[in-house]
């Protein structure tokens, strides 16, 4: 099956993306600090601090999103409810950022974000949910067939 390798590749890509986001925000914070940049009269130190915080928070969230497919690949089981919801939110964010990236950054950034989105979605759908046990009553409360 391809589900374990896909989960591992997804985890590696999300970890690499986390490092990239932190590095990009670090460069932006350094440039804002060196140039004493501000936005609409905001204190330049607040801009630098906000940029570092945003980079750190984004990096941590991407690492958490990367841990979920890594654990799914190691265990060879579908992520639980929290993991699935987290990966769905991560996929939606990548889709929205991809749509914004086309106009603001270019097609290369869009293509990268769509590859990450495809890996996350493939990780989600590669693992089947376990079938209900035949001996239990159905969801309507009807008794199980004998």
């Amino acid at each position: 099956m391809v589900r374990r390798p896909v989960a591992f590749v997804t985890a590696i890509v999300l970890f690499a993306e986390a490092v990239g986001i932190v590095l990009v925000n670090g460069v932006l914070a350094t440039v804002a600090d060196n140039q004493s940049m501000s936005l609409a009269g905001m204190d330049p130190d607040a801009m630098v601090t906000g940029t570092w915080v945003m980079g750190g928070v984004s990096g941590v969230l991407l690492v958490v999103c990367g841990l979920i497919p890594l654990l799914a690949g190691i265990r060879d089981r579908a992520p639980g409810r929290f993991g699935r919801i987290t990966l769905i939110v991560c996929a939606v964010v990548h889709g929205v950022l991809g749509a914004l990236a086309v106009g603001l950054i270019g097609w290369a950034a869009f293509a990268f974000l769509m590859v990450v989105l495809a890996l996350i979605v493939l990780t989600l759908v590669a693992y089947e949910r376990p079938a209900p046990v035949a001996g239990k009553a159905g969801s309507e409360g009807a008794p199980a067939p004998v």
Side-chain angles (χ1 to χ4, degrees):
M1 289 302 276
V2 298
R3 60 186 181 193
R4 290 183 87 177
V6 168
F8 289 133
V9 169
T10 303
I12 290 168
V13 169
L14 287 171
F15 292 147
E17 188 178 3
V19 171
I21 289 292
V22 172
L23 288 176
V24 166
N25 277 285
V27 169
L28 289 173
T30 304
V31 169
D33 190 29
N34 290 340
Q35 299 293 321
S36 266
M37 291 179 169
S38 67
L39 182 64
M42 186 184 296
D43 182 30
D45 291 333
M47 295 287 292
V48 172
T49 304
T51 304
W52 276 114
V53 169
M54 184 64 185
V57 169
S58 299
V60 167
L61 290 175
L62 283 168
V63 166
V64 168
C65 289
L67 285 174
I68 295 167
L70 179 66
L71 291 174
I74 291 171
R75 296 175 181 164
D76 200 20
R77 283 192 338 219
R81 178 174 287 158
F82 173 77
R84 293 182 77 78
I85 291 171
T86 304
L87 286 178
I88 290 168
V89 168
C90 188
V92 169
V93 168
H94 276 83
V96 171
L97 287 177
L100 292 173
V102 171
L104 298 175
I105 301 171
W107 287 102
F110 172 78
F112 173 76
L113 287 167
M114 291 304 106
V115 166
V116 176
L117 172 66
L119 285 170
I120 293 170
V121 170
L122 186 56
T123 300
L124 283 168
V125 300
Y127 290 97
E128 295 178 17
R129 301 298 288 169
V133 178
K136 289 188 175 181
S139 61
E140 297 82 24
V146 180

